[in-house]
């Protein structure tokens, strides 16, 4: 697992996509707001073009009414990782 972190607008998405393409893997976002389908302003979500380049998880995956917590994200990430490893 590789974790890319940093402040908003420093190029994390571009680096993550380039790395995921090279490694032929997916991206699991850990952004606390990008997971909400209804939040499009102020979340710096990857563009549709960027989302098409490699599989992304936890991007627009939940509704704003859904309860999302750190524990819930942990389970989501673990389940996604397990599913991705089983596909290989």
């Amino acid at each position: 697992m590789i974790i890319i972190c940093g402040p908003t607008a420093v190029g994390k998405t571009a680096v993550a996509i380039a790395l995921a393409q090279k490694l032929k893997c997916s991206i699991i976002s850990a952004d606390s707001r990008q997971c909400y389908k209804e939040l499009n302003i102020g979340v710096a979500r990857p563009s549709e073009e960027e989302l098409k380049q490699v599989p992304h998880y936890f991007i627009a995956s939940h509704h704003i009414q859904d309860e999302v917590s750190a524990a819930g994200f942990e389970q989501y990430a673990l389940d996604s990782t397990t599913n991705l490893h089983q596909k290989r």
Side-chain angles (χ1 to χ4, degrees):
M1 179 179 300
I2 298 170
I3 298 172
I4 300 170
C5 61
T8 300
V10 295
K12 296 182 302 291
T13 298
V15 169
I17 289 172
L19 188 58
Q21 288 175 326
K22 184 173 183 141
L23 298 175
K24 298 180 180 16
C25 64
S26 300
I27 295 172
I28 301 175
S29 173
D31 189 284
S32 64
R33 295 170 303 193
Q34 288 183 6
C35 66
Y36 295 115
K37 294 176 183 181
E38 297 84 2
L39 291 182
N40 294 314
I41 298 171
V43 295
R45 182 177 297 153
S47 69
E48 289 299 319
E49 182 179 306
E50 290 171 322
L51 291 170
K52 290 177 185 175
Q53 292 178 36
V54 297
H56 284 73
Y57 295 84
F58 211 62
I59 300 281
S61 56
H62 294 74
H63 289 285
I64 197 84
Q65 298 89 359
D66 295 340
E67 181 179 330
V68 178
S69 65
F73 169 75
E74 176 188 25
Q75 193 59 57
Y76 180 95
L78 289 171
D79 291 345
S80 297
T81 302
T82 299
N83 291 335
L84 290 167
H85 284 293
Q86 288 175 349
K87 289 179 182 179
R88 288 190 158 229

